Amino acid sequence: MAPMPYYVSPEQMMKDRADYARKGIARGKSIVSVECQPGILIVAENPSETLHKISEIYDRIAFAAVGKYNEFENFRIAGVRLADLRGYSYSREDVTAKSVANAYAQALGGIFTQEIKPFEIEILVAQVGDTPDNDEMYRVLYDGSLQDEQGVVAMGGHAEALMQSMQSGYQPGLDLGAALRLGGEALAAADPERPLRAQVLEVALLDRARPRRAFRRLSDAEVEELLQGGS
Amino acid sequence: MSPGPFDLPPDWARAAFSPDPNPSFSDLVRRLDPGMLPASEGSTPLAIPHGTTILALRFADGIVMAGDRRATEGFSIADRRMEKVFPADDFSAVAIAGAAGPAVDIVRLLQVELEHYEKLEGDRLSLEGKANRLAQMIKQNFPLAMQGLVVVPLFGGYDLRRAEGRIFRYDAVGGRYEDIDFHATGSGGVHAKASLKKSYRPDLGQADAVRAAIEALVDASDEDAATGGPDLERNIFPIVALVTTLGYSVVPDSELRPVVEAILSQRGRN
């Protein structure tokens, strides 16, 4: 066995890993999520039409992630598999955002402590309820810590500035247009180099009113109209 | 994490996070716990419910798929309100005849299979791809079919790429055949098909296609003891589903009633 070349304290090792993951996430683009009257609206900076950052997991559950695409894509697939397995073996009602978020937290926590390189990703798992009071949003951090969020969430680059500007403009019961403008304007303000245009936004809604599968993507035209003041 | 009542076995989590690119749900289940799949063998039960007559036909805007409501166990009526027509996904429908238990299981697996693929790949399977997937599932059921538990579904939908409705039928070993115009199967299938043969025209509109479907089921129930006719007193009507560019929908009983009444009164039985 080769001799250990030097000693690193566990505290230092964890801190280095956390710094590494945080820096990787902060360099990337951002995602914001808003609980509103029609459901849960998720807005991502994403110029790609095909490589999605927001996706459907199950009937009432959506996934959104920031950071490295190859790392979070694996988590998205795992979420769909776990949800479909659970729904098939028990019943559709037994699939919850909490169980998916828990599985993510376990997996990310394991990677953070055991792998050489931590994953540079953060994940949002959202579940729309019958009423806004029953909406749930869970944020899973790079080290596997799990946070229960209310109202608005911001992740990725400039997350703190985003969070501040969103919280100052947020109130419960926003309509779709107001929620999109709140999120879109926060994203635009956080990075003045990226103008607010429908083409650079990926927008999806967990639509409370839809009967079974609540997840719906908003087209560029729909987003543009809402940004111009539609509701 | 405290394990709740519905926490998953650890090998499920391992399989979920594995980098396996296969988008098939049934393959995933087969790897993890084949017992969750529709039964593929077992001893022949004495009597289990059997579904009877189902049919499908194409019309100008898509397809109509319909089934009577009766399930039989030998010479007894097991169920008067059984549903035999289901959405497979937004743009396809599946109807079942034969052994009800295995058939319903296969439909449930097919529904998850199609949705699973759509979510993982971000795109729907082609209609032909869906039809082939169902054929493979029926093939898995072959050992049961040998013991008499035959499952014979009809599958159909709106092919968004070709912009037309298409119908597929199957045999007990998973053989898949595309039907150009219409098909009926199950115990009363012969009579329903003969009826459709008389009323079918390639340019049928939606209302005429629905009427032709109901008329065929009435004809089947006249000739076949295992097929249940519409029952106006008990409010039992066939399930009639449409798949068009607008997706899957079921014709409500309130719209079926006048059609059924017209058919029955024309035949002097009302």
Side-chain angles (χ1 to χ4, degrees):
Chain A
M1 198 179 98
M4 198 91 102
Y6 51 84
Y7 173 78
V8 183
S9 72
E11 289 86 353
Q12 187 61 43
M13 196 158 68
M14 290 302 139
K15 186 178 172 303
D16 288 352
R17 287 181 174 201
D19 285 347
Y20 177 86
R22 262 201 300 267
K23 277 183 195 153
I25 293 164
R27 269 196 303 272
K29 297 192 173 65
S30 329
I31 285 183
V32 296
S33 173
V34 185
E35 288 179 0
C36 52
Q37 194 55 43
I40 299 176
L41 181 76
I42 308 176
V43 185
E45 283 182 273
N46 185 6
S48 170
E49 290 277 318
T50 48
L51 301 177
H52 295 302
K53 298 191 168 194
I54 313 170
S55 323
E56 175 186 19
I57 293 281
Y58 209 64
D59 294 353
R60 319 301 284 175
I61 304 172
F63 166 102
V66 293
K68 290 194 132 174
Y69 181 82
N70 63 321
E71 292 178 350
F72 67 66
E73 173 67 1
N74 209 21
F75 274 70
R76 180 186 74 87
I77 290 171
V80 173
R81 284 183 179 154
L82 287 171
D84 279 343
L85 278 170
R86 184 180 285 248
Y88 180 74
S89 63
Y90 301 116
S91 98
R92 296 198 83 89
E93 306 155 46
D94 297 316
V95 181
T96 58
K98 198 177 87 181
S99 67
V100 176
N102 253 324
Y104 286 164
Q106 295 295 316
L108 268 178
I111 289 165
F112 183 76
T113 50
Q114 287 158 24
E115 303 290 323
I116 293 178
K117 174 195 141 356
F119 273 20
E120 299 156 71
I121 59 173
E122 268 183 43
I123 301 173
L124 174 77
V125 185
Q127 174 178 312
V128 69
D130 301 340
T131 62
D133 290 343
N134 296 327
D135 288 347
E136 291 174 28
M137 294 196 289
Y138 299 97
R139 179 180 179 183
V140 191
L141 303 189
Y142 54 85
D143 62 352
S145 38
L146 181 58
Q147 296 172 353
D148 182 0
E149 304 278 357
Q150 255 110 41
V152 290
V153 175
M155 311 189 298
H158 316 287
E160 275 160 35
L162 277 171
M163 198 66 189
Q164 273 176 8
S165 79
M166 300 248 299
Q167 268 167 345
S168 64
Y170 176 75
Q171 60 197 56
L174 291 175
D175 65 28
L176 187 59
L180 179 62
R181 288 189 291 278
L182 177 71
E185 278 158 19
L187 286 173
D191 190 348
E193 284 172 26
R194 299 204 193 96
L196 179 60
R197 282 187 301 124
Q199 287 77 18
V200 297
L201 295 182
E202 178 185 351
V203 184
L205 175 70
L206 276 173
D207 194 336
R208 212 184 299 289
R210 279 165 77 101
R212 191 168 70 87
R213 292 168 71 180
F215 186 85
R216 167 167 91 83
R217 293 188 188 282
L218 274 62
S219 67
D220 279 356
E222 205 174 345
V223 170
E224 198 63 63
E225 195 198 315
L226 290 169
L227 285 176
Q228 300 306 326
S231 61
Chain B
M1 187 181 72
S2 63
F6 294 120
D7 263 69
L8 298 168
D11 52 334
W12 287 23
R14 261 198 303 281
F17 284 98
S18 85
D20 180 3
N22 184 350
S24 164
F25 179 76
S26 50
D27 290 352
L28 177 68
V29 174
R30 184 164 302 115
R31 231 176 31 244
L32 287 174
D33 184 0
M36 278 165 56
L37 291 172
S40 64
E41 47 197 317
S43 56
T44 312
L46 290 173
I48 64 153
H50 276 66
T52 46
T53 305
I54 53 172
L55 62 85
L57 68 149
R58 299 205 315 163
F59 70 102
D61 304 326
I63 63 158
V64 175
M65 194 173 273
D68 75 311
R69 305 292 293 272
R70 182 169 292 177
T72 55
E73 263 178 37
F75 290 107
S76 305
I77 292 174
D79 194 345
R80 279 178 227 287
R81 295 174 192 271
M82 184 182 169
E83 298 196 2
K84 303 173 190 175
V85 184
F86 305 90
D89 68 356
D90 287 348
F91 289 97
S92 61
V94 58
I96 51 170
V104 170
D105 276 353
I106 286 176
V107 168
R108 209 164 85 86
L109 183 61
L110 178 71
Q111 288 169 329
V112 182
E113 176 85 11
L114 300 185
E115 188 184 313
H116 190 77
Y117 181 97
E118 185 188 325
K119 287 189 290 196
L120 287 193
E121 298 293 310
D123 200 3
R124 287 191 183 86
L125 270 172
S126 64
L127 190 69
E128 190 133 356
K130 296 174 200 173
N132 288 340
R133 208 71 194 118
L134 178 57
Q136 288 155 18
M137 290 177 186
I138 298 165
K139 219 172 280 173
Q140 304 285 338
N141 184 61
F142 180 61
L144 268 187
M146 288 296 285
Q147 293 160 24
L149 296 183
V150 180
V151 174
V152 274
L154 275 177
F155 178 80
Y158 193 82
D159 190 327
L160 293 163
R161 296 173 205 191
R162 290 200 198 177
E164 61 176 1
R166 296 171 73 186
I167 296 166
F168 300 88
R169 75 183 135 109
Y170 299 85
D171 61 27
V173 294
R176 193 214 81 180
Y177 315 90
E178 180 161 5
D179 278 292
I180 305 299
D181 301 323
F182 57 87
H183 188 68
T185 186
S187 62
V190 180
H191 310 293
K193 196 169 179 185
S195 171
L196 282 174
K197 198 171 184 176
K198 298 288 175 208
S199 55
Y200 183 81
R201 293 191 321 275
D203 57 344
L204 283 180
Q206 183 172 312
D208 290 334
V210 168
R211 188 189 159 103
I214 297 174
E215 212 158 8
L217 288 173
V218 170
D219 281 330
S221 69
D222 274 353
E223 305 296 330
D224 173 41
T227 300
D231 188 334
L232 293 168
E233 270 73 45
R234 288 186 175 122
N235 266 319
I236 301 173
F237 294 98
I239 302 282
V240 182
L242 301 166
V243 189
T244 64
T245 45
L246 301 175
Y248 178 95
S249 62
V250 175
V251 183
D253 286 354
S254 57
E255 284 178 34
L256 294 180
R257 178 176 275 275
V259 184
V260 168
E261 280 170 351
I263 292 171
L264 294 185
S265 72
Q266 204 178 19
R267 296 181 180 196
R269 285 189 289 129
N270 198 19

